[in-house]
Amino acid sequence: MILSDKRILEEMEQGSIIIEPFRRECLGTNSYDVHLGKHLATYRDRVLDAKLHNEVVAFEIPKDGFVLQPNTLYLGVTQEYTETHLHVPFLEGKSSTGRLGIDIHATAGKGDVGFCNTWTLEISCTQPVKVYTGMPIGQLIYFVVEGEIETFYNTKDNAKYNVPSTRPVESMMWKNVF
């Protein structure tokens, strides 16, 4: 089941969902709109290696916007910091974002129960498109969990994306053993 607007508000009042900053006008019928933060990053090298720590070049979106280019992966970040202690959060693009040819995640649309951070976005586009800090970029949807949680994400020793950040976080695949 997906939480309704009223249920999201109830869960926020109880502290099981935290959204900062929270703006009431961003609450949809069964979702919450999130916005593009001011930081973007691209990988330094064109060829990435899953076994290596691939370095990123970070920059701020200028006030007059930044033109995303096709065939480039941009790492972005939401302005909103979120915590989800009893539900599974999903981040999806807004239809208006998709209609501009912008994808906001390659595969990482689901968070884990216990995820406490901003959301790193894996942004790509089909044609050049100008983006701006603060523009609506996606929406969070919360799903009910069936059963008890044994280990919350924010308590896992091996969680790779647990350090709170206001900047996009590059892939930590290199920390895996394979």
Side-chain angles (χ1 to χ4, degrees):
M1 289 191 323
I2 297 173
L3 299 188
S4 69
D5 51 1
K6 287 184 177 184
R7 186 65 187 274
I8 291 170
L9 290 170
E10 290 169 4
E11 296 297 331
M12 290 182 70
E13 194 171 302
Q14 295 171 15
S16 65
I17 293 176
I18 295 171
I19 303 170
E20 294 175 352
F22 175 79
R23 297 189 341 230
R24 182 67 170 86
E25 66 271 17
C26 297
L27 183 63
T29 304
N30 57 321
S31 63
Y32 185 83
D33 289 350
V34 293
H35 302 81
L36 183 60
K38 66 181 177 180
H39 299 285
L40 289 177
T42 57
Y43 284 100
R44 185 176 305 280
D45 296 324
R46 189 71 181 159
V47 176
L48 304 177
D49 187 330
K51 287 193 173 187
L52 299 178
H53 185 180
N54 298 281
E55 292 184 35
V56 294
V57 176
F59 57 95
E60 285 190 22
I61 299 171
K63 287 194 187 307
D64 61 345
F66 178 80
V67 178
L68 301 175
Q69 298 296 325
N71 301 314
T72 301
L73 175 62
Y74 297 90
L75 299 178
V77 67
T78 59
Q79 287 182 329
E80 291 82 5
Y81 168 89
T82 68
E83 294 185 10
T84 309
H85 299 287
L86 297 177
H87 303 89
V88 178
F90 271 71
L91 177 65
E92 292 296 334
K94 295 184 61 57
S95 61
S96 297
T97 306
R99 291 173 191 180
L100 290 173
I102 300 170
D103 290 320
I104 66 164
H105 65 76
T107 61
K110 178 192 69 63
D112 286 311
V113 178
F115 178 76
C116 303
N117 213 337
T118 55
W119 290 72
T120 292
L121 309 170
E122 304 140 353
I123 302 171
S124 60
C125 59
T126 56
Q127 65 188 66
V129 59
K130 197 173 208 180
V131 296
Y132 301 87
T133 298
M135 68 181 274
I137 196 76
Q139 54 191 345
L140 287 171
I141 302 163
Y142 296 95
F143 287 81
V144 173
V145 174
E146 182 69 30
E148 280 189 52
I149 304 295
E150 182 176 68
T151 308
F152 292 87
Y153 185 80
N154 59 333
T155 63
K156 284 185 171 187
D157 292 335
N158 64 345
K160 296 185 290 287
Y161 304 102
N162 245 348
V163 178
S165 178
T166 58
R167 296 176 183 266
V169 178
E170 69 275 16
S171 173
M172 298 292 174
M173 176 65 76
W174 59 275
K175 290 185 174 186
N176 291 315
V177 177
F178 60 97

